[in-house]
Amino acid sequence: MTVQRKKFRKKSFIDIVDTGGYTISTILLRPIELTISRSNERENLAIRYRKFNIPALVDAAVHAAGNGAKSCVKLLKCTEGQYNKAFLMSMDSGVEVLAKVPNPNAGPAFYTTASEVATRHFVRDSSCWFWWASSDGYGLDSDNPVGAEYIIEEKARGKPLGSLWHHWDTESQLGLVAQLVDFETKLASVSFRRHGCIYYRRDLVKKGLPAYDLEAKSLSTDGILMQLNSVSTEEFAIGPLTEARLWEGERATMKLDRGPWSSPLSYMAAMGINEIQWAAAYATPQINPYRSIETPESPDSYISLLNQYLQLTPYLSPGPFRTSLSHQDLHLDNIFVDPDTKKITCIIDWQSASVSEPFLQHSIPRMLIPVDRCSPGERLDAVLKESDAGDSNETIDLLSYYRNISRAKNEQRWTAINLHNRSLLTEPTSLLCGAWSRNDVFSLRHALIHVVARWEEIAPTTLPCPVKFTEHELELHNDELELVESLGEVLHQFQNDNLIPLGRMVLREKYEQASIINHRVKEMFVDMAESESQKALYSRIWPYQD
C-alpha cells in the first residue's frame, strides 16, 4: 500500500499586500503536516482564570522568605504565560522571591504542584553542580488561605539566557551548549524502573494514593548501574503522570490508567484504552469541517480507529528501557546564566516533568531547533540531516556540536533517542489522547496509515499487518490531507513573517494588526474555493476565528 499526496487543485499560491504597514511575501502552499486547533478567545481565557487571595499569597511569601523578612515592599506581576501566574515580591529584608500560581489548564489539582515541588527537590539533591532556587513555601491544594495551589521560591540567580544569547559570540554559545549536555547527562545518569512522575511519598500516602519505590540507580563512570543512597531517595516515590491532557474535562473524574507503568508497551496500551473509555462515555457526533459541514462524524468511527491503534501497539514499542527524568522545555528563558562567567546558574519550570523512556523524550533542546516553515517533525529531520552534512549555518553548527558531544558524553540516551523509525513508532501514541475533543482525528489516522504503509520496516516480513485501510478510507483521508497541508503552509508563513505565531498568542500591542491581517488572509483563502459549498467549508476550517 502506498500513501498518495494530491496537489491543491485550484491555486498554488496567494499574495498578501497592503496590510496596514506589513507586506507579506508570496505564500507557497507547499505540502506539510500540521495539527490545526481552532481559536476561541473566551474559552482560552476561561481555562486560565484562577481566583485566589493576593494578600494571603503575600503573607505566605513573607513567611517563606525568612531572613528576618516582615513585609513585602514591592510586588510585580510577571508577564503571564500559558500555564501560570507569577509575581516577583521584594521583602523589607532585601530578599526577592517569586510566587507562582498554576492556571487550571496547567494540569490536575494537587498532582501538578506536588510533583513539581518533589521533582525540583530530587534534582536539587542529586545535581549539586549548580545552584537551585529553593521552594520551601508551597500549597498543594486550594484548602489554604491563598485559595489556590502555589509555589514560592527564591528568585533565580543570574539572567534569563534569552536576554543574552543573541549577543554572545560563537565560542560563548558553544560553551553554554556543552554545559547543557552536562546537565542532560547528569539527569540521564539516574535511571528508574517505572514511567511516571516524582512525588514526595508522604504526599501520595496522605491522599490515599499508591506510592511506588523510585528504584533509582546511578550510572557510574565505568558504566555500572548502582543503587542510589536509600537515605536520599526513600522520601520520594513514583506516581501518576500530571500531563494535562490526561485530566482534561470529563477525564478528571474518570478512573483512567495514568501510571506509573513498568514498560513502554503498558504505557502505549493504556493511552489507547483510556481514550476508548472516554469516547464510549462522552464522545458525541461532531462536524469534521475538513470532510463535511453537513454530516457529522460518529464516535464509533473514532473508537474503531483506536482499536486499530491497539492492534498495532505490540509492534510500536522499541523494547524495554530504564526510564530517566528529562526537562521537556529547555527554551532560552528557562535557563538562567551568570552574565560574567556565562555559566548556568539555574534551570526553571519543572512543571509536568516526568520520568520516561528516553525514546519518548525530546531529542533536541528547544532552544537549538530553528523556527522555519516546516512542521516540527520535518524541521527536526531537516536540521539533523543538515548538521550531518556540515552546514555552515550558525544554528546548525551549534546543533552539530550538541549532537557530537551528546553522542560522546551521553551515549546510552543518544542511542535510545536515535532508534531506527523512532518517530514512526511513537507518533501514534503522542497524538491519540484527546484527538476527538480537539477535532483532530486526522493526525492520529495519518500516523496509523504511515505505520501500515511502512509495516515491513517494523515487523518481520513473514508477519502480516493486522490493520488495513480500504481504498475509500485512503481517498477520504487524502482529500482531508490536501486541505490540511494547504492551510498549514499559510499559517506557517504567518509565523515566519512574525505576524501570528502558531500558538495563536500575540502581544497586546500587536493584536489589532494581527486581527486585520487574519481577516484579510481568511477572505483570500475562502476565495480560492471553487463553489459556494466549498467556500463555506474553507471558512469553517480557518483556525483563527476570533
Side-chain angles (χ1 to χ4, degrees):
M1 183 187 71
T2 59
V3 180
Q4 299 178 346
R5 289 175 177 259
K6 297 182 180 180
K7 295 182 178 179
F8 200 63
R9 293 192 184 95
K10 186 173 182 183
K11 297 182 181 180
S12 60
F13 67 91
I14 57 178
D15 291 309
I16 310 172
V17 295
D18 188 22
T19 53
Y22 287 87
T23 299
I24 311 176
S25 57
T26 297
I27 298 180
L28 299 177
L29 298 182
R30 179 170 51 79
I32 61 167
E33 295 171 18
L34 177 70
T35 298
I36 298 173
S37 57
R38 302 180 67 80
S39 175
N40 187 319
E41 184 177 10
R42 182 176 299 178
E43 180 181 325
N44 287 333
L45 290 174
I47 62 176
R48 290 171 175 78
Y49 176 75
R50 173 71 75 191
K51 183 178 180 180
F52 61 98
N53 188 323
I54 291 183
L57 183 64
V58 171
D59 289 342
V62 172
H63 178 75
N67 294 324
K70 297 180 179 179
S71 65
C72 173
V73 296
K74 186 177 181 180
L75 183 150
L76 294 174
K77 186 177 187 297
C78 303
T79 301
E80 188 163 331
Q82 293 256 27
Y83 304 110
N84 300 280
K85 305 182 194 308
F87 303 87
L88 181 62
M89 303 185 193
S90 301
M91 304 300 161
D92 56 355
S93 62
V95 173
E96 290 184 300
V97 300
L98 188 77
K100 185 172 75 170
V101 177
N103 295 332
N105 65 330
F110 166 75
Y111 295 95
T112 301
T113 301
S115 179
E116 180 178 3
V117 169
T119 300
R120 289 162 55 120
H121 288 178
F122 177 81
V123 175
R124 177 197 62 193
D125 295 344
S126 61
S127 302
C128 57
W129 63 280
F130 59 73
W131 175 88
W132 287 90
S134 60
S135 54
D136 295 327
Y138 53 89
L140 301 184
D141 53 45
S142 59
D143 187 20
N144 61 62
V146 176
E149 299 170 57
Y150 65 88
I151 295 177
I152 296 169
E153 61 192 56
E154 188 178 351
K155 180 186 176 184
R157 297 177 185 175
K159 292 184 177 296
L161 184 58
S163 65
L164 304 168
W165 181 248
H166 299 293
H167 302 288
W168 282 6
D169 57 30
T170 302
E171 183 178 356
S172 298
Q173 291 181 337
L174 291 173
L176 190 285
V177 171
Q179 294 179 64
L180 206 55
V181 171
D182 287 340
F183 165 71
E184 291 184 326
T185 303
K186 181 70 174 178
L187 285 184
S189 70
V190 179
S191 64
F192 308 81
R193 198 173 72 81
R194 291 182 173 85
H195 178 154
C197 284
I198 296 176
Y199 297 84
Y200 274 116
R201 184 184 299 275
R202 62 176 182 267
D203 292 334
L204 292 176
V205 171
K206 186 177 180 180
K207 287 284 186 178
L209 300 167
Y212 294 88
D213 292 342
L214 285 187
E215 298 185 58
K217 294 184 178 181
S218 179
L219 188 66
S220 64
T221 54
D222 55 3
I224 299 175
L225 283 173
M226 302 180 64
Q227 198 75 30
L228 282 186
N229 188 330
S230 61
V231 175
S232 62
T233 61
E234 63 184 8
E235 61 180 333
F236 298 102
I238 293 286
L241 286 184
T242 64
E243 193 173 353
R245 62 180 186 159
L246 296 176
W247 303 82
E248 288 174 339
E250 302 92 350
R251 292 173 178 81
T253 57
M254 295 181 69
K255 292 184 178 180
L256 302 177
D257 184 357
R258 302 182 182 91
W261 303 276
S262 57
S263 72
L265 177 57
S266 59
Y267 161 71
M268 290 175 165
M271 293 299 98
I273 294 170
N274 286 347
E275 194 65 8
I276 289 175
Q277 286 182 270
W278 175 86
Y282 294 104
T284 58
Q286 64 182 12
I287 293 292
N288 173 6
Y290 290 94
R291 290 199 170 184
S292 170
I293 58 174
E294 298 175 351
T295 305
E297 286 189 331
S298 167
D300 291 340
S301 64
Y302 180 49
I303 293 175
S304 176
L305 191 67
L306 293 171
N307 279 314
Q308 288 177 309
Y309 163 81
L310 288 178
Q311 288 179 276
L312 296 171
T313 298
Y315 310 100
L316 300 181
S317 173
F321 281 84
R322 285 189 65 87
T323 59
S324 63
L325 179 65
S326 67
H327 192 298
Q328 299 289 74
D329 198 17
L330 288 173
H331 64 71
L332 292 171
D333 289 330
N334 278 343
I335 302 169
F336 280 67
V337 297
D338 184 318
D340 298 322
T341 65
K342 297 182 172 59
K343 299 294 185 183
I344 295 176
T345 57
C346 187
I347 291 179
I348 65 169
D349 194 4
W350 290 82
Q351 195 172 69
S352 298
S354 64
V355 168
S356 63
E357 290 77 11
F359 59 83
L360 294 173
Q361 301 171 6
H362 289 314
S363 304
I364 305 294
R366 181 175 158 189
M367 61 169 284
L368 293 178
I369 301 178
V371 176
D372 60 21
R373 64 175 59 202
C374 299
S375 68
E378 290 176 323
R379 180 167 67 240
L380 182 55
D381 288 343
V383 166
L384 295 180
K385 290 177 182 177
E386 290 176 15
S387 65
D388 280 339
D391 194 286
S392 59
N393 177 274
E394 178 182 329
T395 304
I396 302 300
D397 284 345
L398 290 173
L399 183 54
S400 179
Y401 180 69
Y402 168 84
R403 299 183 72 213
N404 288 336
I405 58 176
S406 289
R407 187 184 294 111
K409 290 186 174 184
N410 204 357
E411 184 178 358
Q412 289 196 8
R413 179 176 184 273
W414 186 256
T415 300
I417 64 177
N418 284 279
L419 288 169
H420 179 60
N421 285 334
R422 174 183 173 234
S423 61
L424 178 69
L425 297 172
T426 60
E427 196 168 55
T429 304
S430 70
L431 293 170
L432 67 86
C433 186
W436 186 265
S437 303
R438 62 180 182 271
N439 208 346
D440 187 29
V441 177
F442 165 82
S443 293
L444 172 60
R445 188 191 316 111
H446 193 73
L448 294 180
I449 287 174
H450 274 270
V451 169
V452 174
R454 298 169 59 183
W455 181 251
E456 68 279 0
E457 301 177 38
I458 298 173
T461 54
T462 56
L463 184 68
C465 181
V467 170
K468 293 186 183 299
F469 290 93
T470 67
E471 289 300 319
H472 180 62
E473 288 173 328
L474 292 177
E475 183 177 352
L476 288 175
H477 182 79
N478 279 334
D479 288 340
E480 194 171 347
L481 173 64
E482 178 182 298
L483 282 174
V484 171
E485 291 178 330
S486 301
L487 180 56
E489 183 63 16
V490 176
L491 302 184
H492 271 298
Q493 192 67 47
F494 269 10
Q495 173 166 281
N496 294 345
D497 288 339
N498 297 316
L499 299 173
I500 303 176
L502 290 176
R504 298 168 291 158
M505 295 183 68
V506 298
L507 295 174
R508 186 182 299 274
E509 59 268 24
K510 292 185 178 181
Y511 179 79
E512 291 302 325
Q513 181 68 52
S515 295
I516 293 171
I517 295 171
N518 175 56
H519 179 71
R520 293 184 182 180
V521 177
K522 178 185 175 183
E523 287 183 340
M524 293 179 180
F525 183 74
V526 172
D527 285 342
M528 297 169 66
E530 298 176 339
S531 65
E532 289 302 314
S533 61
Q534 224 178 41
K535 281 189 176 183
L537 171 64
Y538 285 15
S539 178
R540 182 72 178 267
I541 68 174
W542 187 256
Y544 305 149
Q545 297 285 356
D546 293 333

